[in-house]
């Protein structure tokens, strides 16, 4: 859930709990605090607090707003066996009271000062998002500090949040997209933390206790696995004090469960999860190069041409525009700490799923053999370099982008060198990397629905009509 949507939901929930007839005033206050402003000149400072906590800072004093993003390495890959969904559970608990402030009072105080705070989890990290108006900085920082250091995990809040999570799981089990994604990861990463359901199951979430939450917080919230970015109306000196106040009392070192490197199985596989729906959903993917691999940027460009470029992408043209088989089809590169994948999805009527997947395989094969055309490569580079600035047009976007770079091990200079690396991709690079990346015989495919004429198989059949589809260029 996004920061604002979660904040809005909290405002509505608090209003209902307090018997307020309309939540509009609370929502208006939260929206006012959520408005960001682009930094005029993005001077990225690397700072270290008096206590030794490192952060990146972009000062922007024209608007009295501070955006802070932080992450702890760990994420839901740290869920113990049998406790899948623990990381997700804790992200929903971090604003349910802290220190000596109980849940309702804590969230009322957040609303009173128009403070935004949310948490989220991924396979490798736990994320925190915090925004405050400058005039309320001290009060907001105190609430953030209590959340980071002393979440209460009161039993009544645990029980209430558990019921919400179980309701979400019951809903997700009826959503073909969510089921397809969950089952794809289980198929691609068997016997690995990446293959376990990130949000857990009804069985595992029901077993999570308050002690589990306390233990997870103790193991993962530490200074050595912390990364912080701040953008807004604050100086380096003042930020140093805030960093020590909020994070300085955390344990020096995290106690993380080791996670091994992995990759999807070679040779391809296909799984069908039957669901009585008129339209099937497929998730498909292969292993990809790591983020720091010299070929990653070329792979990023190739993916844009294949399925990441919206209506300009080959898959969209062939599956939707020429044949009208699907409303949307797409792919993206997803590097994790311990694996990297190229993954995509398509949804189409049950009778058309086999044809759609055949076209996708055919386009992958064609690009792997021939590479993209010079015109397609140039168009992709023009778009990717020209649109890059849009990732930095608000303070919150800047903070999120820079946090991602920190997590991937890049320095602030990446912002200045990234477009040059994309422009340096040659047709020969793109063809070589397409052959390395696009291996349709290795596709791991999960289909949810009742696709006609398809069966689960370790090696799916080659669909000849797709391979005969004529391509451009």
């Amino acid at each position: 859930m996004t920061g604002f949507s979660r904040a809005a939901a909290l405002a509505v929930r608090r209003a209902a709990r307090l018997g307020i007839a309309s939540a509009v005033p609370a929502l208006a206050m939260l929206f006012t605090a959520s408005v960001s402003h682009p930094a005029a000149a993005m001077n990225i400072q690397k700072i270290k607090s008096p206590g030794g906590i490192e952060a990146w800072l972009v000062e922007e004093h024209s608007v009295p707003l501070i955006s802070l993003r932080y992450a702890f390495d760990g994420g839901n890959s740290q869920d113990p066996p049998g406790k899948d969904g623990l990381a997700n559970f804790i992200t929903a608990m971090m604003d349910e009271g802290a220190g000596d402030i109980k849940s309702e009072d804590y969230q009322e105080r957040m609303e009173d000062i128009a403070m935004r705070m949310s948490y989220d989890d991924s396979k490798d990290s736990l994320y925190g998002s915090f925004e405050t108006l400058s005039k309320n900085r001290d009060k907001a920082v105190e609430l953030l500090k209590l959340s980071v250091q002393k979440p209460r995990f009161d039993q009544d809040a645990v029980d209430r949040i558990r019921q919400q999570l179980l309701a979400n799981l019951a809903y997700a089990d009826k959503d073909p997209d969510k089921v397809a994604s969950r089952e794809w990861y289980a198929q691609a990463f068997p016997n690995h933390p990446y293959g376990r359901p990130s949000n857990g199951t009804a069985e595992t979430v029901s077993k999570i206790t308050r002690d589990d939450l306390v233990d997870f917080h103790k193991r993962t919230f530490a200074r050595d696995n912390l990364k912080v970015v701040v953008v807004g109306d604050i100086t380096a000196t003042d930020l140093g004090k805030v960093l020590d106040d909020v994070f300085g009392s955390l344990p020096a070192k995290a106690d993380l469960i080791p996670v091994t490197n992995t990759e999807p199985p070679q040779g391809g596989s296909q799984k069908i999860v039957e669901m009585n729906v008129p339209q099937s959903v497929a998730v498909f993917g292969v292993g990809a190069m790591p983020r720091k691999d010299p070929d990653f940027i070329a792979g990023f460009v190739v993916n844009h041409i294949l399925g990441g470029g919206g209506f300009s992408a080959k898959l969209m043209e062939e599956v939707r525009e020429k044949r009208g088989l699907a409303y949307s089809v797409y792919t993206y590169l997803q590097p994790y700490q311990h694996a990297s994948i190229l993954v995509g999805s398509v949804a189409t009527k049950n009778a058309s799923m086999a044809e759609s997947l055949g076209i996708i395989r055919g386009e992958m094969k064609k690009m792997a053999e021939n590479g993209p055309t010079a015109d397609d490569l140039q168009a992709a580079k023009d778009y990717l370099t020209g649109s890059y600035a849009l990732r930095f047009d608000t303070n919150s976007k800047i903070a999120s982008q820079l946090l991602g770079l920190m997590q991937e091990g890049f320095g602030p200079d990446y912002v200045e060198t990234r477009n040059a690396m994309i422009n340096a991709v040659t047709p020969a690079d793109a063809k070589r990397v397409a052959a390395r990346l696009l291996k349709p015989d290795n596709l791991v495919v999960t289909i949810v629905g009742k696709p006609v004429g398809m069966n689960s198989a370790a090696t799916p059949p080659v669909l000849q009509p797709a391979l005969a589809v004529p391509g451009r260029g």
Side-chain angles (χ1 to χ4, degrees), residues 2-4 67-71 110 115-120 126-131 144 396 399-400 403:
T2 64
F4 178 73
S67 297
L68 186 151
R69 301 290 186 272
Y70 54 99
M110 288 176 56
M115 166 188 165
R116 294 176 60 206
M117 183 180 72
S118 64
Y119 288 84
D120 200 1
L126 284 177
Y127 293 93
S129 174
F130 166 83
E131 290 190 1
L144 174 64
S396 60
S400 296
L403 180 61

Side-chain angles (χ1 to χ4, degrees), residues 369-382:
E369 292 176 347
N370 304 323
T373 68
D375 287 345
D376 287 338
L377 178 59
Q378 189 59 52
K381 293 197 291 186
D382 289 345

